[in-house]
Amino acid sequence: MKYMFASDIHGSAYYCQKTLEKYKESGAERLILLGDLLYHGPRNDLPRDYDPKQVIVMLNKYKNRICGVRGNCDSEVDQMVLEFPMMADYGLLVLNGKTIYATHGHIYNEETLPPMRQGDALIHGHTHLPAAQAMGDCFLLNPGSVSLPKGGNPGSYGMLDGSIFTIYDFDGNKLKEITL
């Protein structure tokens, strides 16, 4: 089965639309959003086409296909307008036989790990930097940011297809890939 991971929309209607288009094209079973959905945050510039109200409408159309976690820019008022749960600090997912801790990254990350066992993966956003690497006997994954990428990277998202995790930019270029 295939799953799409995206993080850090930060209220950009433009990049939310691009993310949803890639999701539809991919045939992924679920879209897993790793936080910072509506608000740009005080340390970030406004992303392209900043329109949180439009992002709400777009995401709510996919409410039965989205799994979400809370980012540091997300709040209770966001949950009041989004029709899918997104206020948990992490979600424990078992996908394709792999245990994955899905979180935003401001609480759990490579420096503050959740309880992980051999072969588990930690996937988070927050840093806006794509990553796909082994970390001892576990895996560290980050799809990057769809709207506010850092480090000279393009906007990106991740795809888990079977045991292969791939990070793509919106032009379809493969940025990173790892087998879990």
Side-chain angles (χ1 to χ4, degrees):
M1 292 197 177
K2 188 186 282 190
Y3 302 90
M4 182 173 171
F5 293 83
S7 188
D8 299 284
I9 296 170
H10 287 291
S12 170
Y14 177 82
Y15 285 106
C16 183
Q17 183 63 41
K18 288 181 81 77
T19 300
L20 292 172
E21 287 170 4
K22 290 297 182 184
Y23 172 68
K24 288 186 278 190
E25 291 170 12
S26 75
E29 183 174 324
R30 296 271 182 174
L31 173 58
I32 300 163
L33 297 177
L34 300 173
D36 285 1
L37 305 180
L38 302 178
Y39 182 55
H40 69 286
R43 295 178 294 183
N44 295 315
D45 293 331
L46 286 175
R48 180 173 177 178
D49 296 343
Y50 182 69
D51 189 350
K53 287 182 180 180
Q54 185 59 32
V55 171
I56 293 164
V57 170
M58 288 189 280
L59 292 178
N60 281 342
K61 289 179 183 177
Y62 290 86
K63 65 184 178 184
N64 294 326
R65 297 180 182 180
I66 292 175
C67 296
V69 295
R70 179 183 69 87
N72 58 303
C73 292
D74 297 320
S75 69
E76 289 182 33
V77 72
D78 298 341
Q79 185 63 84
M80 293 170 67
V81 296
L82 292 169
E83 297 173 3
F84 53 91
M86 48 72 70
M87 287 302 291
D89 289 326
Y90 70 93
L92 184 61
L93 309 169
V94 179
L95 305 176
N96 303 326
K98 306 291 182 186
T99 301
I100 300 173
Y101 288 88
T103 189
H104 180 62
H106 64 295
I107 297 173
Y108 299 109
N109 52 56
E110 59 271 18
E111 295 176 10
T112 308
L113 294 172
M116 295 178 68
R117 297 175 58 184
Q118 181 177 354
D120 288 353
L122 170 65
I123 185 165
H124 69 82
H126 185 59
T127 64
H128 299 219
L129 298 168
Q133 62 195 49
M135 185 177 58
D137 59 2
C138 297
F139 298 93
L140 173 66
L141 312 171
N142 187 325
S145 171
V146 299
S147 69
L148 296 170
K150 293 184 179 174
N153 292 292
S156 59
Y157 61 93
M159 198 68 67
L160 179 64
D161 191 354
S163 62
I164 300 174
F165 183 78
T166 308
I167 300 171
Y168 296 97
D169 68 15
F170 287 104
D171 291 327
N173 298 309
K174 189 182 298 186
L175 304 179
K176 296 183 181 284
E177 185 171 88
I178 193 166
T179 301
L180 306 181

